[in-house]
Amino acid sequence: MYLRLASRTRISDNGSTLVLGDHMDYRDTSDEAAFREEVREFIKNEAPKGMGRGEGGFGGFGEGWKAWVKKLADRRWVAPAWPEEYGGAGMSVMEQFIFNWEMAEARVPRPGGIATGFAGPTLIVHGTEDQKQKYLPEILDGETIWCQGYSEPGSGSDLASLQTRAIRDGDDYVVNGQKIWTSGGHLAKWMILLARTDPEAPKHRGITYFVVDMKSPGVTVRPLMNMAYNHEFNEVFFEDVRIPKENIIGEENRGWYLAQTTLSFERSNIGGAVGARQGVEDLVKLARSNPVSKLSSNLSLRHELVDRMVEASVATQMSLKIISIQAKEGVAPGHEASVAKMYGTELNQRIARTAIKVLGMHGQLDTKNEGVDASTYGRYKYQYLRSIANTIEGGTSEIQRNIIATRGLGLPRA
Ligand SMILES: Cc1cc2nc3c(=O)[nH]c(=O)nc-3n(C[C@H](O)[C@H](O)[C@H](O)COP(=O)(O)OP(=O)(O)OC[C@H]3O[C@@H](n4cnc5c(N)ncnc54)[C@H](O)[C@@H]3O)c2cc1C
């Protein structure tokens, strides 16, 4: 089921053609339906029971994870968008969309993140044969964590202003500087690092893309706790860290352009839209069956919950529109992806706020407290606190609005 944009036409009484506008065809083609069924069957038969979305990656590699990744790897489904010659499944964007949708519906965990989404594609497109042989196979084992050393204390939205320096010294580069908000830096084996190699060049042109061994002497990782009191990201300091020149990906001073590489990924964020809908459904179930719920006594809260359900449905429609553009026109979505990112992340925050209102005082319980109540309700408190970062990570809502204004609406830059 997906949106296939097509102009609906009919012949008017006087014989001229009327274009009635785009309409939506939600049906799978027979090939798509067969593939969807294959993915569903695979999940039903192979996914270990009782494994939550958070398993693997920063959630740790718990029981069952290795077996699950092995089953995915046997199908080349650890990095389904990668070309087959590098261990991927070479899925079309529509196949990726269906795959991502079904995995999200089933709430099963996925290996990947920065390793499959950023490091792997950059190596595939710009890496040497030696680099590909060295790094790609271990990404597919699902347990090698990579981190992304882009942001710095003074450079986030304006990333090209980054100041970490890499100076050539013989066969090495010597790196000094600081990165921040480095997700998984404390668990990562490798980092993809952007560092300035030519301070005289215009800011986008003097940046180089490196792979850094996180065990290199001079690398210090300091934890930063997020406001949900989870250790997810870090500060990473570089003090005279020597990186061999073989660890440059692509050419010196061309790193900025490499950082944009994503292969042919589907960019609908259907997983986010499905997660939002499931979040509201779970809340409705909880509210129906639970005496602590404020719903029966609060009419406006019932309306709020309905609003969230409608909004989750809107988020799904946005994903469908994006995949239609990608599949039909073969182009990466532009401002449409910014609309979906901004809407989806702000919706997460609204759902979390509604949940806390529904739960009343129980909304203050934490998963770290003891008791059944804490694990049931604590999930919503966690979402309330963690979702605040959603509108910052991956490009802030303000930056998305700028893109929508200039590229979507054609407004002049401020
Ligand atoms: C949970 C989380 C995980 C992250 N993981 C990583 C990671 O693994 N690796 C990594 O490198 N980075 C990571 N980041 C960093 C993230 O990319 C940056 O936080 C983000 O790009 C914003 O940059 P900043 O924090 O420096 O804020 P700033 O860019 O300083 O922005 C501050 C405020 O000013 C606004 N603003 C800035 N410029 C404009 C503008 N032109 N127009 C309008 N408003 C503007 C912003 O929207 C924001 O509200 C992570 C962040 C979070 C929250």
Side-chain angles (χ1 to χ4, degrees), residues 118 148 150-151 156-157 181 183 233 267 337-338 341-342 345 386 388-400 403:
F118 294 94
Q148 190 180 47
Y150 288 9
S151 304
S157 304
W181 317 123
S183 302
F233 46 39
R267 293 181 56 200
S338 291
K341 199 278 174 181
M342 185 192 80
T345 52
R386 178 59 180 82
I388 290 169
N390 291 168
T391 50
I392 302 170
E393 59 194 326
T396 67
S397 274
E398 289 77 17
I399 295 299
Q400 307 308 327
I403 294 170

Side-chain angles (χ1 to χ4, degrees), residues 360-383:
M361 292 298 276
H362 286 73
Q364 295 184 43
L365 283 166
D366 194 292
T367 47
K368 294 182 184 84
N369 296 139
E370 283 178 15
V372 179
D373 277 3
S375 61
T376 309
Y377 305 124
R379 162 190 165 189
Y380 295 100
K381 178 187 170 189
Y382 177 78
Q383 185 186 348

Side-chain angles (χ1 to χ4, degrees), residues 287-334:
R288 274 201 188 123
S289 64
N290 206 292
V292 309
S293 151
K294 302 283 167 219
L295 278 192
S296 52
S297 57
N298 189 332
L299 187 62
S300 72
L301 201 48
R302 295 158 77 102
H303 289 177
E304 199 172 312
L305 206 48
V306 172
D307 283 346
R308 297 298 87 86
M309 189 53 101
V310 172
E311 289 160 2
S313 171
V314 170
T316 304
Q317 299 303 315
M318 285 179 178
S319 296
L320 290 163
K321 178 165 185 196
I322 288 171
I323 198 60
S324 303
I325 293 170
Q326 269 191 278
K328 187 177 170 206
E329 297 166 20
V331 292

Side-chain angles (χ1 to χ4, degrees), residues 65-321:
W65 174 259
K66 274 191 183 169
W68 172 230
V69 173
K70 168 90 177 56
K71 283 171 183 163
L72 288 167
D74 288 347
R75 295 242 181 176
R76 298 170 166 269
W77 284 357
V78 169
W82 291 12
E84 288 185 36
E85 58 182 307
Y86 298 114
M91 281 188 195
S92 68
V93 290
M94 189 53 75
E95 286 168 337
Q96 291 172 52
F97 177 71
I98 292 169
F99 181 76
N100 292 340
W101 187 329
E102 295 304 324
M103 295 291 271
E105 284 290 355
R107 306 185 191 216
V108 286
R110 303 273 303 272
I114 287 160
T116 54
F118 294 94
T122 308
L123 286 158
I124 287 170
V125 177
H126 303 283
T128 62
E129 223 24 66
D130 283 352
Q131 289 170 337
K132 288 175 192 174
Q133 295 302 329
K134 179 170 178 185
Y135 300 114
L136 295 180
E138 65 170 24
I139 291 180
L140 298 172
D141 73 12
E143 282 186 38
T144 305
I145 293 182
W146 287 61
C147 64
Q148 190 180 47
Y150 288 9
S151 304
E152 298 182 1
S155 303
S157 304
D158 181 17
L159 184 60
S161 66
L162 60 88
Q163 294 299 320
T164 293
R165 284 282 276 127
I167 298 172
R168 182 77 186 256
D169 180 28
D171 283 344
D172 295 339
Y173 284 79
V174 178
V175 179
N176 281 284
Q178 184 196 344
K179 296 292 171 178
I180 196 166
W181 317 123
T182 316
S183 302
H186 54 306
L187 303 169
K189 181 173 179 188
W190 305 107
M191 169 189 272
I192 43 176
L193 168 77
L194 289 179
R196 191 163 297 287
T197 34
D198 183 357
E200 307 304 325
K203 63 180 183 177
H204 292 86
R205 299 220 184 112
I207 294 171
T208 301
Y209 200 106
F210 295 93
V211 175
V212 183
D213 181 343
M214 291 296 283
K215 293 238 162 9
S216 308
V219 174
T220 305
V221 180
R222 288 204 195 132
L224 290 171
M225 301 305 280
N226 67 17
M227 65 189 292
Y229 214 67
N230 260 22
H231 180 195
E232 192 182 314
F233 46 39
N234 306 270
E235 296 177 288
V236 181
F237 297 86
F238 295 85
E239 258 179 281
D240 293 330
V241 176
R242 298 193 82 85
I243 305 179
K245 70 177 187 331
E246 293 76 33
N247 286 25
I248 288 185
I249 312 293
E251 289 172 41
E252 192 185 58
N253 295 327
R254 300 285 300 166
W256 181 257
Y257 307 98
L258 268 66
Q260 326 298 326
T261 313
T262 55
L263 288 179
S264 197
F265 285 129
E266 73 95 356
R267 293 181 56 200
S268 72
N269 190 22
I270 184 65
V274 168
R277 195 206 70 229
Q278 289 173 336
V280 184
E281 284 170 355
D282 290 351
L283 193 55
V284 170
K285 231 183 269 169
L286 184 73
R288 274 201 188 123
S289 64
N290 206 292
V292 309
S293 151
K294 302 283 167 219
L295 278 192
S296 52
S297 57
N298 189 332
L299 187 62
S300 72
L301 201 48
R302 295 158 77 102
H303 289 177
E304 199 172 312
L305 206 48
V306 172
D307 283 346
R308 297 298 87 86
M309 189 53 101
V310 172
E311 289 160 2
S313 171
V314 170
T316 304
Q317 299 303 315
M318 285 179 178
S319 296
L320 290 163
K321 178 165 185 196

